[in-house]
Amino acid sequence: LLLAGFSCGFAFSPILALTLSHLGVSILSFSMLGGGFFFTLFCLPETLTPEIAQRAARDRNSMIVHNEPTCGKVKRRMMRPLRELSILNRNQLFRLLATLSFFSGIVSSADQSLLIYYLEDRLRFNDKDVSLLFVILGSLGILVQGVFLRPLNELMGEKSLLIFAFSCQTIVNLVYGFATVKAAVFMAVGLGSFGGLAFPTISAMKSYNVVSLLRMIILWCHYTHALSYLLLR
């Protein structure tokens, strides 16, 4: 559902690029971000209850060594993410999923960062072409993540669905590399929406095995993608 909502933004944003100037789009984007800030500030409820916050504070205090030197405190805080994520290295399945997510993150980061520049340079994409690209990406992303994900998962199973998602992404990037016409890129983008099934599938496979460690799973996903993006750079 989260990824479907993200795709919804991709589907509607190109309308702004076609109807407004670059300055108008920038002003509207700034206004929407400001509106999101004030909405979060005044309307979004706090999800961390006082009881859970107090229990977490007691757990942290129980781990603190009295009269601990400053270098020890710094080292403990620097090593905390590694200690939390180390439990995800508990078996072979988790290590394989981490590897898959790492390489998937490299490809996704490259597509997000370099694809538009590559298409503008190689196939002479203009503003209308880029807008159509995002309309296809967003519209099919909504359908794939919001409608097709569960039926495909029930039909194929998680392992086969993961293989299918990575196969689609492989084909898509091959088309990007060898495409000589814009239509091939548009079709590849549509197929690439099914490649986006890899992220929720990997997250689901981990959450089924470690239900009580959902927060660490989320951290693992962010750290893996961040590391893959850093390596891409």
Side-chain angles (χ1 to χ4, degrees):
L1 184 61
L2 178 64
L3 293 177
F6 188 74
S7 298
C8 185
F10 271 91
F12 287 103
S13 61
I15 300 175
L16 304 177
L18 293 177
T19 56
L20 299 174
S21 63
H22 290 176
L23 178 61
V25 171
S26 301
I27 295 174
L28 181 60
S29 299
F30 177 78
S31 302
M32 294 178 68
L33 289 174
F37 168 76
F38 287 109
F39 177 82
T40 304
L41 183 62
F42 295 110
C43 301
L44 190 67
E46 177 58 63
T47 57
L48 181 63
T49 62
E51 294 79 10
I52 296 178
Q54 292 174 4
R55 185 165 64 249
R58 288 194 299 268
D59 293 340
R60 288 195 301 268
N61 291 333
S62 64
M63 299 174 60
I64 296 178
V65 179
H66 295 288
N67 299 325
E68 184 181 13
T70 303
C71 60
K73 294 180 181 179
V74 174
K75 180 180 178 180
R76 174 168 50 81
R77 292 177 180 176
M78 293 291 292
M79 296 298 294
R80 178 185 173 186
L82 296 178
R83 287 197 305 269
E84 292 181 343
L85 292 174
S86 62
I87 197 169
L88 297 178
N89 190 33
R90 58 191 304 168
N91 56 40
Q92 183 68 14
L93 173 62
F94 281 24
R95 287 190 288 271
L96 290 175
L97 291 176
T99 304
L100 290 174
S101 181
F102 176 76
F103 288 111
S104 175
I106 292 180
V107 176
S108 299
S109 299
D111 289 344
Q112 295 172 8
S113 304
L114 307 175
L115 179 61
I116 299 301
Y117 304 107
Y118 171 78
L119 295 177
E120 289 177 345
D121 180 66
R122 183 183 177 95
L123 297 178
R124 299 294 184 262
F125 265 52
N126 52 34
D127 288 348
K128 291 184 178 180
D129 296 325
V130 174
S131 300
L132 179 58
L133 185 78
F134 282 113
V135 167
I136 296 173
L137 180 64
S139 301
L140 292 180
I142 295 172
L143 290 175
V144 171
Q145 300 292 340
V147 179
F148 296 149
L149 176 57
R150 177 171 293 182
L152 287 175
N153 187 37
E154 295 175 351
L155 178 65
M156 304 174 63
E158 291 176 340
K159 178 181 178 180
S160 298
L161 182 58
L162 198 58
I163 294 173
F164 172 71
F166 281 119
S167 300
C168 290
Q169 200 63 40
T170 302
I171 296 172
V172 166
N173 282 272
L174 286 174
V175 174
Y176 288 160
F178 293 103
T180 56
V181 293
K182 297 178 181 179
V185 174
F186 293 139
M187 290 188 290
V189 169
L191 182 61
S193 300
F194 290 92
L197 294 173
F199 180 81
T201 303
I202 291 175
S203 300
M205 293 174 72
K206 279 189 169 291
S207 64
Y208 293 155
N209 289 273
V210 190
V211 178
S212 61
L213 297 175
L214 182 58
R215 183 174 69 90
M216 294 185 184
I217 293 170
I218 296 174
L219 285 173
W220 167 81
C221 293
H222 285 296
Y223 285 144
T224 304
H225 280 75
L227 182 61
S228 62
Y229 184 78
L230 179 63
L231 181 60
L232 171 68
R233 298 283 293 184

